[in-house]
């Protein structure tokens, strides 16, 4: 038996025994993990059976997954936006209609159910790109952060961590005032946005970060205000970047440069910044993102759902941009699907297989995603890290057959969210044997929350 030294003198509050665990480079059989103060206090390998009092996690236990990019209210669009044809821009009109229906109470209900679905999919932390700030027409609520606080409360009830990326969304386009739908999103100026966002408070499970919706939604002379707010707080800063060629064309027409160059010129890029999508980039754009170690969050199921295109993820990573993954519009909520889609999209484009190993894809879905959300110590099964875990069954119809040493490849290339058996956050069992321990009927909660928006 090998013993890893404990990192804290705090008492052990839980012990988990994993019949197989992913330790970053390989699958290790027979591992116990002690929890103290919500963190991993120690790990022992070579433990053939569960010790007395330990909770058994049978399957492959991975670090908890990080959903780096989420718009919780988009969960209400699932399937309804699959009728007929169109583009990103026609899809956006349907999205606006759903946004117009939400109140703090209905947003809480929908987000709570959506975050519970994430927990069932093995996600232990979500980056919520939040721009639905005000009442219809743009009037602030009596509590100006009622909508953001509804999201924080929803994540707490669903049992997952949240990085609330409060989003500056001030314009409809370059030089255009917000349209009637976007009035709910706008604080009118970056200074007013910063004043409101400064009132938000984090806690043990909540970090407060910032976002620039896009270069078309925040005037160039106000980008630095948002970047400075995040810099002062050492907070994550996210931005939708070059998702659509139309955005690139409009930016060049307005500013004579690409969106990436514009962000670079206004001090937005850097190691705490993550570009979402980064789809339609020039070689100079890729070099700017990589040299500044600005992250890239790929959202393959949304990017293909909206017919956005395939971003240059391989080139970005080689240039120095860390990769993470998000479910974005929640066409599905399945980080295993996002991970393999990034690889399989690249295979279709290049006619070459094997751009990332299973280990690299797991890292994008966990450690690098957590880092992008302001938790650089998460996403690993090591002493001192948060005790956030997810266990994938190795005996389902999708995962049965391969030898256990290939369990990482099985998880990434064959498993789905439906194969998640356990999710543990801060040492607490949130999903046990495929059932949420706090929300008894997650499908029913989802159905009710979506139905409430269509009445």
């Amino acid at each position: 038996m090998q013993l890893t030294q404990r990192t804290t003198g705090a008492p052990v509050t839980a012990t988990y025994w994993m019949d197989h665990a992913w330790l970053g480079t390989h699958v290790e059989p027979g591992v116990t993990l002690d929890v103290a103060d919500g963190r991993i206090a120690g790990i022992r390998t070579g433990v053939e059976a569960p010790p007395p009092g330990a909770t058994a996690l049978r399957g492959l236990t991975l670090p908890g997954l990080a959903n780096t990019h989420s718009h919780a209210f988009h969960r209400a669009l699932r399937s309804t936006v699959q009728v007929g044809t169109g583009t990103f821009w026609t899809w956006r009109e349907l999205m606006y209609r759903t946004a117009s229906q939400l109140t703090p109470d209905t947003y809480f209900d929908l987000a709570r159910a959506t975050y519970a679905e994430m927990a069932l999919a093995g996600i232990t932390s979500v980056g919520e790109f939040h721009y639905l700030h005000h009442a219809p027409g743009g009037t602030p609520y009596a509590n100006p952060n009622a909508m953001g606080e509804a999201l924080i409360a929803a994540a707490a009830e669903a049992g997952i961590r949240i990085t609330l990326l409060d989003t500056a969304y001030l314009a409809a386009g370059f030089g255009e005032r917000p349209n009637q739908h976007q009035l709910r999103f706008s604080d009118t100026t970056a200074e007013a946005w910063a004043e409101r966002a400064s009132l938000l408070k984090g806690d043990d499970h909540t970090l407060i970060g910032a976002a620039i919706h896009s270069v078309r939604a925040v005037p160039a002379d106000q980008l630095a205000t948002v970047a400075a707010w995040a810099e002062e707080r050492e907070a994550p800063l996210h931005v939708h970047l070059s998702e659509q060629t139309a955005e690139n064309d409009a930016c060049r027409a307005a500013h004579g440069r690409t969106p990436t160059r514009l962000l670079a010129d206004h001090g937005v890029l850097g190691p705490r910044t993550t570009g979402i999508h980064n789809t339609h980039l020039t070689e100079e754009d890729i070099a700017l993102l990589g040299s500044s170690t600005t992250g890239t969050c790929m959202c393959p199921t949304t990017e293909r759902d909206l017919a956005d295109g395939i971003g240059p993820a391989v080139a970005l990573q080689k240039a120095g941009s860390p990769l993470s993954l998000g479910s974005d519009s929640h066409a599905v909520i399945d980080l295993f699907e996002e991970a393999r889609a990034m690889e399989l999209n690249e295979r279709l484009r290049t006619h070459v297989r094997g751009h990332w190993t299973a280990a690299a894809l797991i890292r994008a879905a966990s450690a690098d995603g957590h880092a992008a959300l302001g938790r650089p110590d998460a996403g690993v099964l090591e002493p001192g890290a948060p005790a956030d875990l997810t266990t994938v069954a190795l005996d389902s119809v999708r995962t049965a057959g391969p030898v256990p040493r290939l369990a990482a490849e099985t998880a990434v290339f064959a498993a789905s969210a439906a194969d998640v058996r356990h999710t543990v956050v801060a040492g607490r069992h949130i999903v046990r044997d495929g059932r949420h321990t706090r929300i008894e009927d997650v499908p029913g909660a989802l159905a009710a929350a979506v139905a409430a928006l269509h009445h």
Side-chain angles (χ1 to χ4, degrees):
M1 180 185 296
Q2 176 185 339
L3 177 66
T4 300
Q5 184 67 38
R6 289 186 59 203
T7 60
T8 174
V12 171
T13 54
T15 298
Y16 292 94
W17 177 82
M18 304 167 277
D19 65 353
H20 293 90
W22 175 249
L23 298 185
T25 57
H26 66 286
V27 175
E28 182 75 26
V31 179
T32 63
L33 181 151
D34 292 330
V35 178
D37 285 339
R39 292 186 172 269
I40 299 172
I43 291 180
R44 298 186 298 278
T45 58
V47 184
E48 296 183 1
T55 300
L57 304 177
R58 298 190 183 276
L60 173 67
T61 298
L62 303 162
L65 306 180
N67 190 355
T68 307
H69 188 64
S70 162
H71 300 292
F73 77 90
H74 290 191
R75 176 61 179 80
L77 300 172
R78 189 178 293 181
S79 298
T80 63
V81 291
Q82 304 299 348
V83 178
T85 62
T87 65
F88 168 86
W89 307 102
T90 55
W91 168 89
R92 193 173 69 155
E93 291 303 313
L94 296 171
M95 180 269 288
Y96 285 154
R97 277 185 233 163
T98 298
S100 70
Q101 302 297 313
L102 286 158
T103 67
D105 287 342
T106 58
Y107 205 9
F108 167 81
D109 291 340
L110 179 59
R112 173 179 175 269
T114 301
Y115 296 153
E117 182 182 356
M118 292 184 195
L120 289 167
I123 292 163
T124 58
S125 186
V126 60
E128 184 60 38
F129 199 103
H130 166 56
Y131 54 81
L132 190 52
H133 302 305
H134 307 301
T139 302
Y141 289 101
N143 171 2
N145 285 308
M147 296 295 265
E149 290 177 7
L151 293 166
I152 292 170
E157 289 215 5
I160 69 172
R161 304 180 193 270
I162 186 171
T163 298
L164 187 73
L165 298 156
D166 195 279
T167 303
Y169 193 138
L170 309 173
F174 299 98
E176 298 178 30
R177 293 176 59 80
N179 65 33
Q180 66 179 55
H181 300 293
Q182 296 163 337
L183 291 172
R184 293 197 76 173
F185 311 159
S186 177
D187 291 293
T188 68
T189 67
E191 289 77 12
W193 165 84
E195 184 177 350
R196 181 188 51 73
S198 295
L199 300 174
L200 287 160
K201 304 297 182 191
D203 56 37
D204 289 347
H205 283 241
T206 306
L207 295 178
I208 307 300
I212 292 164
H213 179 273
S214 56
V215 293
R216 68 179 186 274
V218 177
D221 62 0
Q222 299 187 58
L223 292 170
T225 300
V226 184
W229 188 95
E231 182 69 22
E232 289 165 8
R233 292 160 176 77
E234 298 185 349
L237 174 61
H238 289 205
V239 54
H240 289 132
L241 181 56
S242 289
E243 183 178 4
Q244 293 289 320
T245 55
E247 175 180 281
N248 291 354
D249 295 342
C251 188
R252 284 193 179 96
H255 297 289
R257 66 202 79 178
T258 66
T260 301
R261 180 81 255 178
L262 186 69
L263 294 174
D265 290 347
H266 289 273
V268 174
L269 303 185
R272 281 194 300 277
T273 300
T274 298
I276 310 302
H277 305 301
N278 295 0
T279 307
H280 302 285
L281 304 178
T282 66
E283 289 186 6
E284 183 197 26
D285 293 340
I286 293 169
L288 285 169
L289 293 167
S291 63
S292 61
T293 62
T294 298
T296 294
C297 177
M298 303 297 289
C299 306
T301 65
T302 292
E303 289 149 5
R304 70 191 184 198
D305 182 55
L306 299 182
D308 286 343
I310 301 171
V314 171
L316 282 161
Q317 188 170 49
K318 285 181 178 176
S321 178
L323 298 179
S324 57
L325 297 164
S327 64
D328 192 359
S329 68
H330 312 314
V332 297
I333 294 176
D334 188 336
L335 265 289
F336 301 110
E337 177 62 24
E338 304 295 345
R340 68 172 155 264
M342 187 165 71
E343 165 67 26
L344 298 181
N345 284 351
E346 199 65 26
R347 292 183 186 186
L348 285 173
R349 182 166 66 174
T350 63
H351 303 174
V352 175
R353 303 176 74 241
H355 301 273
W356 293 278
T357 62
L361 293 170
I362 290 170
R363 182 173 181 85
S366 56
D368 285 344
H370 291 293
L373 297 179
R375 302 183 191 276
D377 57 344
V380 292
L381 300 185
E382 297 175 1
D388 298 353
L389 328 168
T390 186
T391 304
V392 180
L394 296 178
D395 58 358
S396 77
V397 292
R398 287 166 294 278
T399 61
V403 295
R405 67 179 176 81
L406 295 177
E409 286 76 10
T410 301
V412 171
F413 290 103
S416 78
D419 296 309
V420 170
R421 291 293 175 265
H422 303 280
T423 302
V424 173
V425 181
R428 298 184 184 92
H429 223 137
I430 302 301
V431 173
R432 186 191 297 267
D433 296 320
R435 297 189 64 83
H436 203 286
T437 60
R438 300 184 177 188
I439 300 172
E440 185 174 340
D441 181 9
V442 176
L446 283 163
V450 173
L453 302 182
H454 298 311
H455 288 163

